[in-house]
Amino acid sequence: MSWEPILDKELRKSALETVQSIAVHLRHHDADDATISGGSAGLAVLFHYLDRADLGDGHSANRFLEHAMDSVATTPMSAALYEGLLGIAWALAHVSEEPGGGEALNEVDALLLNLLRRPWYGDFDLTNGLVGIGVYARERLLSNAAEEMLSLVIAHLDFLAEKGPDGTAWFTRPEMLPADSRIHYAPEGFYNLGMAHGVPGAIAFLSHAYTLGVEKHKVRRLLDDAIRWLLARRIHHTGFGQFPRCIGPGIAPEPARAAWCHGDPGVAAALLLAARSLGQTDWEDIAIALGRTSALQLHEKSQVAEAGFCHGAAGLAHLFNRFYHATGETLFKDAAGSWVRRTLEMRTDQGIGGYLALTGSHGKMVWTPEPGMLTGAAGICLSLLAASTSIEPLWDRIYLLSN
């Protein structure tokens, strides 16, 4: 199904007015942060898509990308996808006129190969770990290093996987958790069941790898066993909140709220990717049924308090938009439109284009202006743009939502 706008005339007008308001605010933003999740790399991606929609200014994308790349040389940063070097490299690979970023990223490739050829002691997840490296490697498909990077990521995931009679999963060790979470919530670690930090993210990445034909036998085995493990962790098989956020020693499994980063919609997206990649109709049936149930969940029961992509209304709008384009079911189109409307209702006279994000500060949550793709105004803007135009939002590859 080719990409198409999903909004009626009146809602589309409101969405595009909001897009333009956010763009005006962000065009003059002086970014201290260079990352793709919260800073200038993400803004470069946003303005690239605004330019493609003839809503940009033709130069902000390059300005933000140059700022991000300059920061690599002057600011110490990790190799993480969302909060480090890899996200900046991913942005360059994604928006560059030269497919995959060309030779400009050869040094990054060499750095990653050097890391991946050693034993891996870090995280496995999308935001900070191996899956994030795999997402970068997928964006670098035309480079000489891409297939080796993908193969090495898969080999490490295979080694780190816990394999048992009920399937395969990846455990988040306590040292991988923030100190406050480790001390007060999960001193022994846990199994995360969200797309951003957990098993569904690994499933979605492995589905991409299978589609690309990389290590297909090993990937097929991992996917079969990981999905079997994941499906066995459903709290119940009908209704809202079928999947908990995490499970582990001393943690009572409770339904996660609906979001991309955790909860049923994100899990459904990962399952649908795997089903389509491997031609598994039974997985597809489960994924679509889970998506339908999530689409029918009322706003007031979803516990969604903000508009950002990661765990807010704009992210749910985009997830259901993707489900509509994958299935053609009007239920998903209607749900996407409903969450777009909710996103617009959350707009105020404060923040960036009318939006603030809930962030932690000194042990409490406060509303702050956030520019970025993950929780801030850029992610909201991209979601609204995808709902309003015929430009396919391939930026959502960084969220493991498209091939």
Side-chain angles (χ1 to χ4, degrees):
M1 185 178 186
S2 60
W3 197 263
E4 61 181 38
I6 60 166
L7 307 180
D8 61 38
K9 183 178 180 180
E10 182 179 349
L11 191 57
R12 182 173 182 268
K13 180 181 178 182
S14 297
L16 288 175
E17 286 175 351
T18 303
V19 164
Q20 291 171 323
S21 177
I22 293 172
V24 168
H25 279 76
L26 288 178
R27 188 174 294 133
H28 304 291
H29 180 72
D30 291 325
D32 295 324
D33 188 335
T35 67
I36 194 146
S37 66
S40 51
L43 298 184
V45 174
L46 168 62
F47 279 95
H48 171 77
Y49 278 88
L50 288 170
D51 286 344
R52 291 185 59 191
D54 295 324
L55 296 172
D57 57 14
H59 61 81
S60 287
N62 287 335
R63 178 171 66 85
F64 283 119
L65 188 60
E66 288 171 3
H67 173 271
M69 293 170 63
D70 288 345
S71 296
V72 171
T74 59
T75 306
M77 60 181 68
S78 72
L81 182 66
Y82 280 21
E83 299 291 344
L85 167 66
L86 279 194
I88 298 169
W90 185 95
L92 175 59
H94 189 71
V95 308
S96 175
E97 293 182 2
E98 192 169 0
E103 295 183 359
L105 291 170
N106 284 353
E107 289 187 17
V108 175
D109 295 349
L111 171 67
L112 290 176
L113 286 174
N114 187 44
L115 287 173
L116 291 170
R117 287 167 181 161
R118 306 172 183 176
W120 184 265
Y121 299 106
D123 214 330
F124 76 90
D125 74 353
L126 170 63
T127 59
N128 301 306
L130 287 167
V131 172
I133 296 175
V135 169
Y136 166 77
R138 181 260 170 269
E139 208 67 21
R140 288 282 287 158
L141 280 182
L142 298 180
S143 73
N144 293 331
E147 185 169 349
E148 184 179 358
M149 283 191 285
L150 288 167
S151 295
L152 288 168
V153 167
I154 292 164
H156 285 303
L157 285 173
D158 188 28
F159 179 78
L160 292 175
E162 293 190 357
K163 298 159 186 170
D166 59 347
T168 289
W170 291 268
F171 187 73
T172 302
R173 304 190 308 276
E175 64 268 25
M176 296 291 109
L177 296 170
D180 56 345
S181 295
R182 184 172 64 250
I183 294 170
H184 300 293
Y185 180 59
E188 299 179 57
F190 54 58
Y191 297 94
N192 191 301
L193 275 68
M195 182 77 94
H197 297 289
V199 173
I203 287 171
F205 161 69
L206 290 168
S207 303
H208 289 320
Y210 189 89
T211 299
L212 296 171
V214 181
E215 303 287 353
K216 291 188 74 170
H217 178 74
K218 184 183 296 182
V219 167
R220 176 69 200 236
R221 171 176 51 80
L222 286 169
L223 280 170
D224 284 339
D225 291 344
I227 290 175
R228 179 161 55 90
W229 183 93
L230 180 65
L231 293 179
R233 268 56 199 181
R234 280 188 283 187
I235 301 172
H236 47 80
H237 290 242
T238 59
F240 309 130
Q242 295 181 30
F243 286 90
R245 181 171 184 167
C246 58
I247 59 173
I251 301 173
E254 298 179 353
R257 64 175 175 169
W260 163 78
C261 55
H262 51 248
D264 293 358
V267 173
L271 288 173
L272 186 60
L273 271 179
R276 293 284 173 90
S277 296
L278 277 68
Q280 287 285 139
T281 57
D282 53 338
W283 296 348
E284 181 163 344
D285 290 344
I286 294 170
I288 293 175
L290 186 61
R292 288 178 186 140
T293 302
S294 298
L296 292 170
Q297 188 174 16
L298 299 176
H299 294 162
E300 58 268 24
K301 293 186 177 181
S302 66
Q303 303 178 51
V304 174
E306 57 186 301
F309 191 95
C310 181
H311 40 265
L316 288 170
H318 190 71
L319 278 163
F320 292 125
N321 196 355
R322 269 289 172 197
F323 260 86
Y324 167 65
H325 280 88
T327 66
E329 292 192 15
T330 56
L331 170 65
F332 294 122
K333 182 178 181 180
D334 292 343
S338 176
W339 281 105
V340 166
R341 189 172 290 107
R342 182 69 183 123
T343 301
L344 298 176
E345 290 170 352
M346 289 177 165
R347 193 178 178 200
T348 70
D349 58 357
Q350 301 179 63
I352 299 173
Y355 289 100
L356 297 167
L358 270 174
T359 57
S361 177
H362 304 292
K364 62 181 180 179
M365 302 301 291
V366 295
W367 290 99
T368 58
E370 290 286 334
M373 276 182 65
L374 188 62
T375 62
I380 296 168
C381 196
L382 284 165
S383 176
L384 295 176
L385 191 68
S388 305
T389 71
S390 58
I391 298 168
E392 185 172 5
L394 294 178
W395 50 264
D396 67 7
R397 287 203 291 251
I398 201 163
Y399 297 111
L400 288 168
L401 294 177
S402 63
N403 286 312

